[in-house]
Structures are given as C-alpha cells and as structure tokens.
Amino acid sequence: KKEGSATIVPETQDVELNNMPPESHVGAEMSDRTTKKVIVGILIMLMVIPLLQVDELEYINEYSMHMVLQQRASLETMDTGNADWNTWEFTESFFLNATKCISMVYGGFGDSVRNFGIIPSDRVNVESLRSNEKSVLSISSEE
C-alpha cells in the first residue's frame, strides 16, 4: 500500500440524497401560502410607500414664499426711507429664479409698492396653461 491521504466519497451518499421522501401535502400547502403572503406584502408595499413619501419641493417652495412675504410685509411697516428694498428684491428674485414660478401677486398691502413679482421673460404665460397644469400656492400672514 502506498502511504498518502485521500478521501473517497461513497456512492451511497448520492443515492441517499436522491432517495429523500417527497414533500408532504401539509408542507406544500404551507409553502404556497407563505409565498402568496410574501407576494401580497411586496405588492402592498410597492403601492403604499410612494404615498407616504413627502414631496420636499412643495415645502421648499412654501418656505421660500413665506420668506418673500415676510420681506414684503416688512416694507409696509417701515418708513419708505428706511425700507430695505434690496433685501426684498433679492429674496423675491432668488425665489423666482430658483423655482418655476410663473406668477406672483401680493395682496392686502395698502402701500404704493408694486403688488406683483417680476417674472423672468422666458417663463410660460399663465393664461396659456390648462387648469390641470397649474398649481396654486397661497401664503398669508396671519399673526
């Protein structure tokens, strides 16, 4: 005999794996039910999760509009000589250039300052849009 180490797999091991008993009826039923529950759970998650996500753009636009309104309201309470026109105009122009806003109207101010935002000329005209293409966001200063 030669000296050495070798492992020989008996042929009976392969035969034992092929001779396993078939899956029982109860096991097959449990497996089918589990599969169905997992599929239904995944489908429900695919439909519900998008509904729970927050649209950050709306909050950013709303916050920006609050800032513009706050700057505009500060003009009304100050004397025209002391009013910080540059801050208001910067805030307004920054908002208008950072968003796709196509119209901005200020209401409820009893001063001589303009009551509309100066929209960039490359924007779409409000009258050319259909009603389902418009999204109106109104901000008021209720204190």
Side-chain angles (χ1 to χ4, degrees), residues 3 19 21 23 32 42 58 64 90 92 98 114 124 137 141:
E3 298 219 9
N19 289 334
E23 187 177 22
D32 287 345
I42 290 172
E58 285 295 322
S64 299
F90 172 78
E92 181 185 69
R114 63 180 164 83
V124 176
L137 185 59
S141 60

Side-chain angles (χ1 to χ4, degrees), residues 83-91:
D84 195 359
W85 295 92
N86 292 334
T87 304
W88 169 57
E89 287 178 342
F90 172 78
T91 307

Side-chain angles (χ1 to χ4, degrees), residues 13 30 45 53 56 61-62 67 93 104-105 109 111-112 116-117 122 128 130:
Q13 193 174 18
M30 286 177 56
M45 285 176 26
Q53 293 178 345
E56 292 180 24
N61 287 345
E62 187 174 343
M67 294 302 294
S93 67
M104 177 181 269
V105 178
F109 295 105
D111 54 15
S112 61
F116 57 90
D122 62 338
S128 67
R130 296 184 300 251

Side-chain angles (χ1 to χ4, degrees), residues 23-37:
E23 187 177 22
S24 68
H25 180 67
V26 174
E29 187 67 28
M30 286 177 56
S31 177
D32 287 345
R33 285 187 182 189
T34 302
T35 303
K36 288 177 184 176
K37 288 179 182 178

Side-chain angles (χ1 to χ4, degrees), residues 43 47-48 62 70-71 79 83-84 88 92 95 106 112-113 119 121 134 139:
L43 290 174
M47 290 184 284
V48 170
E62 187 174 343
Q70 181 181 7
Q71 291 299 322
D79 295 334
D84 195 359
W88 169 57
E92 181 185 69
F95 169 73
Y106 301 103
S112 61
V113 180
I119 308 297
S121 61
K134 297 177 187 178
I139 304 294

Side-chain angles (χ1 to χ4, degrees), residues 122-140:
D122 62 338
R123 302 283 169 90
V124 176
N125 192 351
V126 177
E127 288 79 26
S128 67
L129 296 175
R130 296 184 300 251
S131 61
N132 63 347
E133 294 176 325
K134 297 177 187 178
S135 177
V136 177
L137 185 59
S138 298
I139 304 294
S140 63

